[in-house]
Amino acid sequence: MTAERTAEAAHAIETVFRLEAPRIIAGVTRIVRDVGIAEELAQDALVAALEQWPDAGIPDNPGAWLMATAKHRAIDLVRRKERYARKLAEVGRDLEAAPPHLDEPSDPDDIDDDLLRLVFTACHPVLSAEARVALTLRLLGGLTTAEIARAVLAPEATVAQRIVRAKRTLATKNVAFEVPYGPERAARLGSVLEVIYLIFNEGYAATAGDDYLRPGLCEDALRLARLLAALMPKEPEVHGLAALLELQASRSAARTGPSGEPVLLRDQDRRRWNQLLIRRGFAALGRADAVSAGGPGPYALQAAIAASHAHAHTYAETNWEGIATLYGLLAARAPSPVVELNRAVAVSMAEGPAAGLALVDALAGEPALRDYHLLPSVRGDLLDRLGRREEARAEFERAASLTRNERERELLLARAQACSTERGNSYSQGPHQPLQ
């Protein structure tokens, strides 16, 4: 066994596990009915791969191998532990009748159902709202504690405690692994929508690492949003979220250059925007409007903002006045500092950089934005557009020091350098979708 072969196997294992971990955890949770144990068994499967793949070679279907290994270990655990005797009686016959095969991938529809069950389980009302978000991002998004902390604007230690306590609570309360019905489903819906949204955002603009995008997370979030829309066709915000994600995902191919560098909205080749996803987004937004009785909700409003960008054939044709108005409505329906920051960007495009800067400066004391890199990056852009180059450079450098994404750091440092030499292109991408 050569070092090169070992390294190749280790890289494959890391990549596959990052992509497949949510599905494995969801599939195993259906057996053991405990998300904490399911996560441990998924890790056991990872260890088994690290031990076996360098010698045996990488399987033809590595994801199915990991899933099957984790499920086999789950079945063994259910058999061994007396406290799982009741669960064994419920699921044992089916598991024995159709045991998983190492060379046969799990049914995609079954995986989707399990993922949806996992979302609703992690969003059970026995958990605090903050714990639901943190746990689901951990289990379904595969995010690290640091990435979750960044996404929800909270300290890492706090997020770690939330996750540990959430797993313990679900286990001690014997929370069922299911998609609930009736009032209980409605009670969990807000948290479910929020975590699907956050998972998508982490894929759309990764908070850390060498890659600007994490397409796998966007795909998982899109799949969950579509499943939820089919499950709850009379819920306007479910369709609003689906519309938002379809429209945002439509830009993905144009958002990075040949080397993976970020491409700003004004510089994107709109011919690369996915017209099928745009049409799907428009259709979902129409369904949200059709079933809405009290006006558009926060997700539908954000989808309307994304639709405004999709309607513009060029950046110059963007209806910034309309987008600023929509952000004003969003701020009234779902107030947050991040929404206000996005509104400031839209106002700056509609009324000029000075108007936007006044709104941004009013956010300077917001605790939630203290370490949020987009605040100084937006401020730097507005100062640059006003000709205040030295101040702009300092803001871009501060933003670069706050981001954990290497691609975004490179972009911000380039903007800072441009302020010291010649005027660069505007950093403003138009509204960023809020991360909270």
Side-chain angles (χ1 to χ4, degrees):
M1 179 175 63
T2 66
E4 181 179 350
R5 186 173 179 180
T6 301
E8 178 186 0
H11 177 72
I13 292 166
E14 179 184 357
T15 301
V16 172
F17 189 78
R18 181 89 178 194
L19 293 172
E20 297 294 333
R23 297 173 177 84
I24 296 170
I25 294 169
V28 173
T29 300
R30 181 152 53 92
I31 299 172
V32 300
R33 300 296 200 264
D34 185 308
V35 295
I37 293 174
E39 189 176 19
E40 292 175 5
L41 291 170
Q43 292 289 339
D44 287 347
L46 173 64
V47 172
L50 289 168
E51 293 173 347
Q52 298 178 37
W53 290 10
D55 289 327
I58 300 170
D60 292 337
N61 193 328
W65 191 101
L66 289 167
M67 176 72 84
T69 300
K71 284 188 173 181
H72 279 311
R73 293 183 181 225
I75 294 168
D76 290 341
L77 179 62
V78 170
R79 286 172 175 156
R80 288 199 311 267
K81 302 287 188 178
E82 284 188 1
R83 65 175 179 268
Y84 291 116
R86 179 180 59 81
K87 300 177 181 65
L88 176 60
E90 294 173 356
V91 303
R93 291 191 186 89
D94 291 339
L95 292 171
E96 290 297 339
H101 299 286
L102 298 184
D103 59 350
E104 184 177 303
S106 300
D107 181 73
D109 292 334
D110 186 54
I111 289 175
D112 287 342
D113 288 344
D114 283 344
L115 284 171
L116 197 57
R117 290 187 189 101
L118 186 58
V119 175
F120 272 96
T121 300
C123 291
H124 197 280
V126 298
L127 304 178
S128 69
E130 296 81 5
R132 297 173 204 169
V133 171
L135 181 62
T136 309
L137 288 173
R138 172 65 180 160
L139 297 178
L140 254 96
L143 274 63
T144 65
T145 302
E147 289 169 340
I148 297 170
R150 193 74 172 174
V152 301
L153 305 179
E156 288 185 35
T158 301
V159 169
Q161 290 175 354
R162 288 174 185 169
I163 294 171
V164 170
R165 290 171 182 168
K167 291 178 184 177
R168 186 184 304 127
T169 300
L170 291 176
T172 56
K173 297 290 186 180
N174 293 317
V175 171
F177 182 62
E178 64 182 7
V179 176
Y181 295 90
E184 188 178 357
R185 180 187 294 174
R188 295 194 220 175
L189 182 59
S191 288
V192 171
L193 295 178
E194 182 179 12
V195 295
I196 292 174
Y197 180 49
L198 286 170
I199 290 170
F200 181 88
N201 272 337
E202 179 59 28
Y204 193 70
T207 58
D210 297 328
D211 297 322
Y212 186 59
L213 306 180
R214 296 174 61 184
L217 292 183
C218 291
E219 291 168 6
D220 275 342
L222 259 175
R223 182 166 53 252
L224 288 168
R226 291 166 181 167
L227 281 171
L228 203 58
L231 186 68
M232 308 179 72
K234 296 183 180 180
E235 289 289 342
E237 276 291 80
V238 172
H239 295 299
L241 177 65
L244 172 62
L245 302 195
E246 300 279 9
L247 290 165
Q248 293 294 88
S250 72
R251 307 180 204 162
S252 294
R255 294 185 66 243
T256 54
S259 301
E261 70 278 10
V263 177
L264 305 183
L265 181 63
R266 68 177 300 155
D267 300 321
Q268 289 175 17
D269 181 355
R270 300 193 176 207
R271 292 171 298 181
R272 300 187 66 197
W273 287 9
N274 189 313
Q275 294 302 312
L276 173 60
L277 292 182
I278 289 174
R279 290 194 296 271
R280 291 180 68 113
F282 288 162
L285 187 56
R287 288 191 290 271
D289 291 339
V291 297
S292 177
Y299 293 113
L301 285 168
Q302 291 175 73
I305 292 168
S308 293
H309 288 292
H311 279 300
H313 296 295
T314 66
Y315 185 80
E317 294 176 18
T318 305
N319 180 10
W320 289 110
E321 292 82 1
I323 289 174
T325 298
L326 288 169
Y327 264 114
L329 295 173
L330 179 61
R333 291 294 299 269
S336 84
V338 177
V339 171
E340 287 296 333
L341 181 61
N342 289 330
R343 187 171 75 89
V345 173
V347 168
S348 77
M349 299 302 294
E351 302 177 15
L357 183 62
L359 295 176
V360 170
D361 286 345
L363 298 171
E366 287 287 347
L369 299 182
R370 183 181 59 185
D371 297 322
Y372 190 54
H373 72 284
L374 291 180
L375 178 62
S377 72
V378 169
R379 192 169 190 273
D381 175 64
L382 298 176
L383 289 168
D384 188 23
R385 289 163 58 190
L386 288 168
R388 296 160 62 176
R389 309 295 298 287
E390 189 60 29
E391 293 174 82
R393 181 190 60 78
E395 292 292 335
F396 286 129
E397 289 178 348
R398 179 168 181 268
S401 72
L402 291 175
T403 184
R404 297 185 185 182
N405 185 281
E406 290 303 319
R407 295 293 190 175
E408 200 158 22
R409 179 179 291 112
E410 292 170 1
L411 175 65
L412 290 164
L413 290 176
R415 287 300 323 272
Q417 178 63 30
C419 289
S420 301
T421 54
E422 58 181 345
R423 185 173 181 82
N425 289 331
S426 171
Y427 180 76
S428 288
Q429 302 190 46
H432 278 278
Q433 296 305 317
L435 296 181
Q436 64 180 26

